């Protein structure tokens, strides 16, 4: 009994000490380190569930394009999605890449994505093409939608190459709803343009689809196409930067523009130099013009989590304790932007940022 009593008393004393230490840390800005919340780094997938899916089918809908049909375990319905949504694919190497869903939203048994092989890219598309064969398993996050289809009196769609993937479910949806729509679809050549047969059949009545193959007719004329859109039309465009820039420049008055780019637009602060203080680490770094906050911080913290480097996945999200942020990402909500940033693309509008690192 005396020994049992001693153990109980020791455990109680230890508990009181731990509680006192926690109160001391929470109340003190200096001891043993700043009383900050848990960092948000590496939580890019927190907005959507993670699923483990299997590649049930792999097809080649066009030259240089791989199409994957992904299935969950038998009998498990997939989360719902709407046209414009995308998935985050966690590739075997750990890279995270975003691919638009291009199947049927009513199909709760499979997800369909397609990607073009980018020979001089950063490795994600090559990994999909070379490693994701039938039977392969991978983790998928999503779906998420930052390119939703809005209600409008009419629609004008512009797609460049693989940019047709988020547009295709939209075409099916507006056609099924009986809405007025037109499509300008450009690509290097007809053999490289996925889903071309389906799209031409879908738009055959009324000649609503204009196909421009560069090797036949040069570049698509976005201005001429948009000039024929009706007042109040919703203009949806997905493609390479020259195409999205041309559509934005040619947009007539009275139309609403919805863009999805292959890469984020140019930063408004690329030429500015500023300082970044890492509050937990106790270091202050200089971010030079033309270099990202992420690259600069990783010189000091090489194990810092990151993935897409394009402001899409959220892996590099960090809490900002002080400073004015120039947000250049495609992910964060307005609420999140009040006190955090994606350091792969976003920068500082002033002279200094203080990060919770």
């Amino acid at each position: 009994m005396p020994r049992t009593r001693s153990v109980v008393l020791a455990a109680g004393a230890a508990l009181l000490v731990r509680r006192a230490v926690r109160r001391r840390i929470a109340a003190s800005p200096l001891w043993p380190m700043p009383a900050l919340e848990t960092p948000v780094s590496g939580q890019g997938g927190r907005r959507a569930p993670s699923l483990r899916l299997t590649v049930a089918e792999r097809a080649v809908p066009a030259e240089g394009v791989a199409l994957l049909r992904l299935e969950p375990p038998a009998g498990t319905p997939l989360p719902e999605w709407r046209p414009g949504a995308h998935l985050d694919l966690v590739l075997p190497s750990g890279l995270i890449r975003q691919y638009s869903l291009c199947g049927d939203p009513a199909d709760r048994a499979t997800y369909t994505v397609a990607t073009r092989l980018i020979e001089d890219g950063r490795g994600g598309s090559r990994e999909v093409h070379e490693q994701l064969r039938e039977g392969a398993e991978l983790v998928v996050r999503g779906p998420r939608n930052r390119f939703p289809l809005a209600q409008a009196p009419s629609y004008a769609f512009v797609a460049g190459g693989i940019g047709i993937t988020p547009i295709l479910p939209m075409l099916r949806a507006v056609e099924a709803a009986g809405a007025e729509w037109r499509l300008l679809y450009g690509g290097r050549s007809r053999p490289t343009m996925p889903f071309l047969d389906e799209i031409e059949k879908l738009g055959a009545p009324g000649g609503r689809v204009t196909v421009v193959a560069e090797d036949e007719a040069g570049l698509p004329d976005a201005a001429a196409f948009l000039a024929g859109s009706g007042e109040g039309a919703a203009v949806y465009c997905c493609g390479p930067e020259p195409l999205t820039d041309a559509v934005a420049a040619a947009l007539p008055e009275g139309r609403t523009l919805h863009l999805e780019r292959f890469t984020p637009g140019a930063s408004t602060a690329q030429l500015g130099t500023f300082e970044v203080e890492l509050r937990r680490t106790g270091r202050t770094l200089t971010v030079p013009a033309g270099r990202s906050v992420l690259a600069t911080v990783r010189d000091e913290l090489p194990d810092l989590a990151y993935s897409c480097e394009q402001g899409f996945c959220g892996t590099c999200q960090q809490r900002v304790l002080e400073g004015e942020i120039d947000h250049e990402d495609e992910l964060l909500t307005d609420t999140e932007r009040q006190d955090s940033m994606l350091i792969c693309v976003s920068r500082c509008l002033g002279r200094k940022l203080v990060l919770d690192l």
Side-chain angles (χ1 to χ4, degrees), residues 6-78:
S6 298
V7 170
V8 171
L9 291 175
L15 178 61
L16 291 175
V17 169
R18 285 197 297 270
R19 288 177 177 174
V21 169
R22 290 195 191 104
R23 287 195 297 269
R24 177 85 179 269
I25 293 173
S28 173
L30 298 174
W31 183 88
M33 62 168 53
L36 304 174
E37 301 175 37
T38 302
V40 296
S41 175
Q43 299 179 14
R46 69 198 182 288
R47 298 172 184 77
S50 292
L51 310 169
R52 183 168 290 277
L53 305 183
T54 301
V55 179
E57 180 186 353
R58 185 182 187 277
V60 181
E63 291 181 4
V65 176
L67 180 144
L68 305 178
R69 298 193 192 282
L70 308 174
E71 289 185 349
T76 305
L78 290 167

Side-chain angles (χ1 to χ4, degrees), residues 85-216:
H86 72 272
L87 295 177
D88 296 343
L89 268 60
V90 183
L91 303 179
S93 67
L95 289 175
I96 301 174
R97 293 294 182 264
Q98 291 70 41
Y99 298 109
S100 297
L101 285 159
C102 54
D104 181 0
D107 181 5
R108 301 288 299 280
T110 61
Y111 284 151
T112 302
V113 297
T115 179
R116 183 179 300 284
L117 176 62
I118 307 299
E119 295 286 355
D120 59 348
R122 296 177 299 121
S125 67
R126 180 170 295 283
E127 194 169 345
V128 171
H129 278 250
E130 295 181 354
Q131 298 189 36
L132 296 186
R133 304 292 178 178
E134 292 183 9
E137 293 187 353
L138 72 161
V139 173
V140 168
R141 297 172 182 168
R144 296 183 302 188
N145 200 336
R146 51 181 171 79
F147 192 45
L149 181 64
Q151 289 189 345
S154 62
Y155 298 86
F157 298 100
V158 181
I162 198 65
I164 193 63
T165 50
I167 299 295
L168 182 56
M170 295 183 183
L171 299 179
R172 298 182 186 127
V174 296
E175 175 66 11
E180 178 184 341
W181 64 271
R182 297 166 65 240
L183 167 69
L184 175 62
Y185 183 17
R188 293 195 304 270
S189 65
R190 285 179 172 266
T192 66
M193 300 170 71
F195 314 115
L196 188 55
D197 289 345
E198 177 185 353
I199 288 168
E200 289 187 316
K201 290 177 183 178
L202 196 63
R208 291 173 291 179
V209 173
T210 301
V211 176
V212 180
E214 188 175 342
D215 63 344
E216 299 173 3

